[in-house]
Amino acid sequence: MHDDRTLVEARLRRVLDERIRPAVYPESVPLEVAVWHAPGEPVPVAEGLAADAEPITVGSRWGAPWGTSWFRVTGTVPEAWAGRTVEAILDLGFDENMPGFQCEGLVYRPDGTPVKGLNPRNQWVRIGAPVQGGEEVRLHVEAASNPVVMDYRPFTPTPLGDLETAGSDPQYTLARMDLAVLDETVWHLVTDLEVLGELMAELPVDSPRRWEILRAVERALDAVDLQDVGGTAERARSRLTDVLAAPAVPSAHRISAVGHAHIDSAWLWPLRETVRKVARTAANMTALLDDEPDFVFAMSQAQQWAWVKEHRPEVWARVKKAVAEGRFVPAGGMWVESDTNMPGSEAMARQFVHGKRFFLDEFGVENDEAWLPDTFGFAAGLPQIIKAAGSRYLLTQKISWSRTNRFPHHTFRWEGIDGTRIFTHFPPVDTYNCSMRGAEIAHAVRNFKDKGAARHSLAPTGWGDGGGGTTREMVAKAARLRDLEGSATVTWETPSAFFAKAEAENPEPPVWVGELYLELHRATLTSQAGTKQGNRRSEHLLREAELWAATAAVRTGFPYPYADLDRIWKTVLLHQFHDILPGSSIAWVHREARATYARVADELGGIIDAAQRALAGEGSVPLFFNAAPHTRSGVPAGGARLAEVSGRTTRAERPDGGHVLDNGLLRVGVDARGLVDSALDLAAGRETIAPGRTGNLLQLHQDLPNMWDAWDVDEFYRNTVTDLTDADEVTPGDDGVTVRIVRTFGASRVTQVLSLPPGEKRLVVDTEVDWHETEKFLKLAFPLDLHTDRYASETQFGHFFRPTHTNTSWEAAKFEACNHRFVHLQEPDWGVAVVNDGTYGHDVTRAVRGDGGTTTTVRVSLLRAPRFPDPETDQGVHRFRHALVPGASIGDAVREGWRVNLPERRLHGAGEVAPLVTVDRDSVVVTAVKLADDGSGDVVVRFHEAHGARAHATLTAGFPVAGVEVTDLLERPLADTAPPTVDDGRITVRLRPFELTTLRLKRA
């Protein structure tokens, strides 16, 4: 037989595009359209429905950036259409290649009942099937003219990312507003041909199945009368029956499809628009569930569910009904799909506490899985947090974006820093926006790395990022792929059903130990410094507010602010979403975030002050309140008393114009340029700074990544660097014992103050940057005379190690990494810590000197200046605090990290305040002291082993204890864990390295 394969395939493409798809709607009549443009922010539904609308015609421009327009469409179904299926086609000006990234709408009936959402791949509204002739049609569309921030030339700087700079030019052209007859037979023919054509293209050319499909398609095309597609569609479909009925081979890969709409809680749109995106998607998905009995939809992020409940009660009613039927599934058990690298220990725990509790309270549903398809890498402390929340599984696909190394597994157990292992799945379809295309399904099969050991994978199916969800076309394709020869089988399933099957068939999968590092988007650890500092400050203020409010409640009857703390926690957790905290959202988002963090700080400051005043009482005794988990200046952790200050600091001038700071523990030399050329640990006789090098060195790099400006820093940024060594001023500070340095570069100015606190072995570096650079990267470097092949970075509930060398491509790819409050480098008998109060990104490199010694350089990432999506990223004044701690053990690093983030609070009172709880081992760090969320008055204490060693400690309660329980993060007793004994308020605990424990103490 002659090879006519390409001829038939080309014929299929053209006939589908030019004849069959246009015949899906063979008849149409125009609708009458009127519009009212809301003058400001979105209005309530009732107001939009009642507004006076003006006529508008197809082809007219509409929609200022970020505006809301209410369209009213009216018409009459022609009598000749009686008994047929009729739909309204409402095209607001869509680009079908941008679902979720441009204008969208939510359709309402005149009584305010929501119908469904509109987006570029979902423009229809069912009027009737069958319809009555002469039926009057009246619909309202709340349309959002969200501008296209990331267009076909992505990463181009644009003012459209903020309402304040976006202008008022109309963004869209009204394209089509019609009533149309839907020919369902033709619609099904389109789906048949698409599924077979896409499957055919993925099969080997010499495969018999490919040729069998080709001939069936050819026969179907022969059966189509191109001048009467509707009249011949059924005949054409009959030619495809046999090839569509051929069952999959028994060994076929099995895909669990989960209806999905990954909705970024903010990204290229502000938070207020996400509220509406979620409502549109939820309306769409509940409507689709009504039409498709096999379909299952899962939605994560409890915050988004809460928005629907608060803002769209009519949609919420439909969602609740679908949840009760088990088909609209709460997923993930987190408040938002957060970043997991930067949130602190308690914040990461509270993501699960608030997320899981919302689903339990609203639906009685508890999630087994953490659902984080788009998060930019996963910290090594996360597995035990997932387990401590009562969950068992993790799903993500983002690691497939790594640029250097391909991850070796799709299903595996991920082991965290304490040894906890979590069953983890990476969908081999490599997208969280699967649309059931044949290429996607075939890629999942070819890509799956666990063949032979496992046969199941998951496919999150539906348009995401900006929402939209699954379409009826995807459901129709999945139905044909349920059991089709040549393809993987596809079945709609819940996430829990998938994980149960996957774990049962592969109970002992491979193990991956340590962080799941994304070899991409490394700059998200630095972009939008103000957002990151707001997060860090909020986390520590929440710790203080809970600690002092709980202490005051037990001691004085102070009213514990349950509702306020719950609300503030949820606000902070929302802003840890993986495009807010990482700094990859538009200017509007970060402008609002800065204002929100300021309000949070004010409110928490008020709670802290009120609680401390209740504890202090009336008096003139100077009190120092210590919120850190270690004794400080003689003040116990969680207590207050007169601080003990020992030692003094001196400053002397050097002949070269530099200065020497000395406090008896540390002697620091500062040269005439304001650079640290010596930091001598006097007790150890050990120099910290590498020979011939200087610390406190600011370095400026050119920084234009190949793409993803706010997200990425590419390794070639290191090829060019400017050392900022010129100083405008190097003078004594106002107190006479500090050194003040001023530098100018480009359009920016840096002011630093170097200080040695009396009695403390640490050099504090306070840096203020008035930043006005673009596409630059600012680092602060400390070259250390220290030889080590690894260093420790703090993460949630502990720390973990990264190499200082680049032996392998995996190590080389980690040229920018995350830490929380400290990094620590150690030779066997001496170490150095660098601690911070609000930065996350850093790098560590090593070089061997001519004298044979090793210089290990720690560089802290301070600021970047990308121009997309926020063209004014980080412009303005920023303040940072870092400290260099020579001679530090890992315990010193832990303690100093807490110290720099919890500055002292002083006020006068009647006398000493005893801690509510104490622990007798520094290695056991208390991260939370609070009252139980259920309002019982029980005291909850969460702590972990922080040094990486076993610990035997005694926790002592400063109040009568009637009983104690070991609980999960949701403060529920652990059934398989015996409660510790209580002896006169003393509780003995034994902890493995980095083990996390939560105790619930019942007050007597």
Side-chain angles (χ1 to χ4, degrees):
M1 180 179 291
H2 297 296
D3 186 351
D4 62 347
R5 176 181 58 82
T6 58
L7 187 69
V8 176
E9 291 171 352
R11 180 188 180 194
L12 172 61
R13 287 192 295 272
R14 182 173 186 186
V15 172
L16 261 176
D17 286 343
E18 298 183 16
R19 294 294 185 271
I20 302 179
R21 287 195 185 98
V24 169
Y25 291 107
E27 301 176 57
S28 64
V29 296
L31 288 160
E32 293 184 5
V33 189
V35 66
W36 174 71
H37 303 294
E41 284 294 279
V43 300
V45 173
E47 185 177 343
L49 295 176
D52 292 330
E54 299 289 334
I56 186 174
T57 58
V58 167
S60 298
R61 300 284 290 169
W62 72 278
W66 307 112
T68 299
S69 298
W70 282 84
F71 291 95
R72 185 185 68 223
V73 295
T74 56
T76 304
V77 176
E79 293 288 351
W81 292 1
R84 303 172 77 179
T85 298
V86 174
E87 295 182 340
I89 310 301
L90 307 178
D91 185 344
L92 300 173
F94 296 128
D95 179 341
E96 69 171 14
N97 295 313
M98 291 192 174
F101 289 91
Q102 51 162 237
C103 61
E104 301 172 55
L106 182 55
V107 180
Y108 292 89
R109 295 189 179 91
D111 64 359
T113 304
V115 181
K116 66 186 294 289
L118 298 176
N119 62 57
R121 298 292 181 97
N122 207 329
Q123 305 173 23
W124 58 273
V125 179
R126 180 65 57 87
I127 301 300
V131 74
Q132 296 180 4
E135 182 178 334
E136 295 296 320
V137 175
R138 185 183 181 94
L139 298 170
H140 297 261
V141 181
E142 180 193 22
S145 49
N146 303 329
V148 178
V149 175
M150 189 161 65
D151 212 329
Y152 289 99
R153 289 187 62 225
F155 320 120
T156 301
T158 173
L160 292 172
D162 197 334
L163 185 64
E164 296 181 352
T165 59
S168 59
D169 291 344
Q171 298 293 295
Y172 297 101
T173 301
L174 200 62
R176 184 180 182 187
M177 300 297 239
D178 288 346
L179 280 180
V181 172
L182 171 68
D183 189 323
E184 295 186 75
T185 303
V186 175
W187 185 88
H188 282 292
L189 176 61
V190 169
T191 308
D192 292 344
L193 291 172
E194 286 180 347
V195 167
L196 290 170
E198 291 164 4
L199 172 60
M200 181 169 58
E202 298 301 322
L203 295 171
V205 172
D206 58 358
S207 162
R209 175 63 168 163
R210 179 164 183 160
W211 286 89
E212 181 184 53
I213 294 172
L214 184 83
R215 291 304 165 214
V217 167
E218 183 177 39
R219 290 192 296 271
L221 295 176
D222 289 342
V224 175
D225 183 340
L226 300 183
Q227 279 68 50
D228 184 16
V229 174
T232 56
E234 190 59 52
R235 183 174 66 194
R237 290 198 72 200
S238 69
R239 305 292 196 273
L240 303 173
T241 301
D242 290 343
V243 288
L244 286 169
V249 298
S251 61
H253 186 71
R254 298 174 181 176
I255 291 178
S256 296
V258 178
H260 186 238
H262 170 67
I263 304 177
D264 287 310
S265 290
W267 179 29
L268 303 181
W269 44 85
L271 288 167
R272 69 93 150 136
E273 192 54 33
T274 313
V275 173
R276 302 200 295 176
K277 283 177 174 286
V278 174
R280 296 176 199 125
T281 297
N284 258 357
M285 294 302 95
T286 52
L288 190 60
L289 287 167
D290 289 341
D291 294 339
E292 302 290 347
D294 294 331
F295 176 56
V296 175
F297 181 76
M299 190 168 87
S300 67
Q301 306 191 73
Q303 170 68 87
Q304 296 187 359
W305 293 70
W307 280 334
V308 177
K309 180 182 180 182
E310 178 183 359
H311 296 283
R312 289 291 192 270
E314 63 282 3
V315 178
W316 178 250
R318 290 163 52 174
V319 168
K320 286 192 71 173
K321 177 177 179 293
V323 172
E325 295 167 351
R327 300 178 59 214
F328 198 118
V329 182
M334 296 174 68
W335 190 247
V336 294
E337 290 182 12
S338 73
D339 181 80
T340 75
N341 286 312
M342 291 177 280
S345 302
E346 274 303 309
M348 201 73 254
R350 305 300 176 95
Q351 286 286 352
F352 288 91
V353 169
H354 287 283
K356 296 194 80 169
R357 187 170 287 145
F358 181 89
F359 293 143
L360 282 164
D361 290 347
E362 295 294 337
F363 309 115
V365 170
E366 178 155 12
N367 304 93
D368 282 338
E369 77 289 335
W371 183 275
L372 292 164
D374 191 31
T375 296
F376 309 152
F378 300 87
L382 187 58
Q384 75 163 330
I385 299 174
I386 294 173
K387 181 180 179 182
S391 295
R392 302 171 56 194
Y393 308 117
L394 169 67
L395 178 134
T396 184
Q397 68 86 40
K398 197 67 174 188
I399 302 300
S400 70
W401 286 42
S402 287
R403 289 285 176 81
T404 305
N405 299 284
R406 289 189 61 79
F407 198 81
H409 317 297
H410 280 109
T411 302
F412 60 100
R413 291 199 187 275
W414 177 30
E415 181 177 320
I417 56 174
D418 73 317
T420 296
R421 292 181 175 181
I422 293 295
F423 190 88
T424 301
H425 181 68
F426 293 174
V429 71
D430 281 351
T431 179
Y432 49 76
N433 295 328
C434 176
S435 61
M436 285 291 134
R437 289 185 300 113
E440 295 170 333
I441 302 304
H443 174 76
V445 176
R446 289 192 296 265
N447 189 40
F448 189 54
K449 292 182 172 64
D450 306 306
K451 299 180 183 75
R455 295 172 57 192
H456 283 82
S457 71
L458 186 146
T461 302
W463 300 118
D465 291 319
T470 318
T471 66
R472 62 182 178 184
E473 288 78 14
M474 297 175 194
V475 176
K477 285 188 172 184
R480 288 157 175 80
L481 296 172
R482 176 183 290 273
D483 189 13
L484 182 62
E485 183 184 355
S487 171
T489 65
V490 175
T491 305
W492 295 107
E493 290 191 297
T494 64
S496 59
F498 161 75
F499 274 111
K501 290 181 179 179
E503 189 173 30
E505 75 174 0
N506 193 9
E508 297 297 331
V511 175
W512 181 270
V513 178
E515 67 181 328
L516 294 171
Y517 179 93
L518 177 63
E519 296 169 352
L520 193 73
H521 293 358
R522 302 168 181 89
T524 58
L525 303 173
T526 305
S527 296
Q528 298 287 359
T531 300
K532 291 170 171 57
Q533 289 181 318
N535 173 74
R536 178 74 69 82
R537 186 70 179 128
S538 297
E539 289 180 351
H540 288 84
L541 286 170
L542 277 161
R543 170 195 173 82
E544 289 192 82
E546 289 183 338
L547 169 66
W548 300 124
T551 305
V554 173
R555 294 278 163 72
T556 73
F558 178 81
Y560 191 79
Y562 291 101
D564 290 338
L565 290 171
D566 180 81
R567 172 178 47 80
I568 295 170
W569 262 118
K570 288 172 179 174
T571 297
V572 174
L573 298 177
L574 166 60
H575 286 79
Q576 292 177 341
F577 178 75
H578 66 250
D579 277 307
I580 303 179
L581 179 54
S584 47
S585 288
I586 56 175
W588 188 346
V589 173
H590 292 288
R591 172 172 55 80
E592 288 190 332
R594 290 190 293 272
T596 298
Y597 284 131
R599 290 193 300 272
V600 164
D602 286 345
E603 191 168 2
L604 290 173
I607 293 171
I608 292 165
D609 183 68
Q612 289 181 337
R613 290 188 182 280
L615 287 164
E618 296 294 329
S620 58
V621 178
L623 298 176
F624 168 28
F625 280 80
N626 178 20
H630 306 93
T631 298
R632 179 165 147 189
S633 301
V635 182
R641 57 172 293 181
L642 181 65
E644 300 171 3
V645 179
S646 61
R648 59 187 292 267
T649 300
T650 63
R651 182 198 56 81
E653 294 188 6
R654 301 194 322 196
D656 63 359
H659 303 262
V660 176
L661 302 178
D662 193 325
N663 67 358
L665 300 173
L666 195 60
R667 183 181 299 142
V668 174
V670 183
D671 70 15
R673 302 169 298 172
L675 303 176
V676 175
D677 57 15
S678 175
L680 183 64
D681 179 349
L682 294 172
R686 178 73 183 257
E687 176 58 63
T688 308
I689 303 299
R693 300 291 299 278
T694 53
N696 189 41
L697 175 63
L698 291 165
Q699 296 183 301
L700 191 67
H701 295 269
Q702 184 170 286
D703 179 24
L704 181 66
N706 288 344
M707 58 192 303
W708 298 108
D709 293 35
W711 296 256
D712 284 0
V713 56
D714 291 331
E715 192 173 13
F716 56 71
Y717 89 92
R718 290 179 170 176
N719 296 348
T720 57
V721 60
T722 301
D723 290 344
L724 303 179
T725 57
D726 294 338
D728 301 337
E729 301 175 33
V730 181
T731 60
D734 292 340
D735 58 4
V737 294
T738 58
V739 178
R740 180 175 181 270
I741 306 118
V742 178
R743 308 183 195 280
T744 53
F745 59 94
S748 302
R749 175 185 176 94
V750 176
T751 303
Q752 290 184 302
V753 176
L754 306 183
S755 60
L756 279 185
E760 299 172 9
K761 197 193 300 185
R762 58 190 171 103
L763 170 65
V764 177
V765 182
D766 287 303
T767 303
E768 179 181 285
V769 187
D770 189 2
W771 180 246
H772 297 284
E773 307 306 303
T774 57
E775 296 168 351
K776 295 291 193 296
F777 197 2
L778 184 65
K779 293 239 177 189
L780 177 63
F782 295 95
L784 309 175
D785 187 12
L786 194 143
H787 177 84
T788 180
D789 61 358
R790 68 177 190 172
Y791 72 97
S793 291
E794 188 184 33
T795 189
Q796 293 98 1
F797 298 111
H799 60 267
F800 71 105
F801 295 96
R802 295 189 184 96
T804 60
H805 55 75
T806 54
N807 282 355
T808 71
S809 60
W810 296 87
E811 294 156 354
K814 296 183 180 182
F815 60 82
E816 185 78 5
C818 183
N819 68 285
H820 286 187
R821 288 169 290 234
F822 70 80
V823 295
H824 179 256
L825 302 93
Q826 178 84 43
E827 289 182 2
D829 59 350
W830 192 82
V832 179
V834 177
V835 302
N836 72 83
D837 75 342
T839 57
Y840 297 91
H842 70 276
D843 68 85
V844 177
T845 55
R846 68 202 301 266
V848 175
R849 306 187 297 267
D851 65 2
T854 300
T855 298
T856 304
T857 301
V858 177
R859 298 199 309 161
V860 177
S861 303
L862 297 182
L863 290 164
R864 296 185 68 239
R867 298 178 63 212
F868 182 89
D870 177 2
E872 300 294 322
T873 300
D874 278 334
Q875 301 299 295
V877 176
H878 303 270
R879 295 176 181 85
F880 306 94
R881 171 166 285 188
H882 294 85
L884 178 70
V885 190
S889 65
I890 192 68
D892 295 327
V894 173
R895 184 182 62 253
E896 295 297 336
W898 280 102
R899 180 196 297 264
V900 78
N901 281 275
L902 286 166
E904 62 188 40
R905 293 184 184 271
R906 297 178 182 270
L907 54 93
H908 290 80
E912 180 174 337
V913 177
L916 198 59
V917 294
T918 59
V919 182
D920 65 353
R921 285 284 295 268
D922 268 4
S923 64
V924 177
V925 171
V926 175
T927 60
V929 177
K930 59 189 289 293
L931 295 194
D933 291 341
D934 61 6
S936 63
D938 293 352
V939 175
V940 172
V941 184
R942 187 150 36 248
F943 51 90
H944 70 286
E945 196 290 315
H947 293 184
R950 293 183 182 272
H952 179 196
T954 299
L955 183 146
T956 302
F959 57 92
V961 176
V964 59
E965 294 175 322
V966 182
T967 75
D968 65 7
L969 294 179
L970 277 71
E971 302 168 8
R972 303 173 298 190
L974 294 177
D976 57 350
T977 303
T981 58
V982 183
D983 181 9
D984 193 25
R986 292 186 296 273
I987 304 164
T988 300
V989 295
R990 297 179 184 274
L991 299 176
R992 301 183 306 274
F994 303 127
E995 183 178 0
L996 160 66
T997 298
T998 304
L999 296 183
R1000 180 170 180 146
L1001 311 180
K1002 184 174 180 60
R1003 291 156 59 189

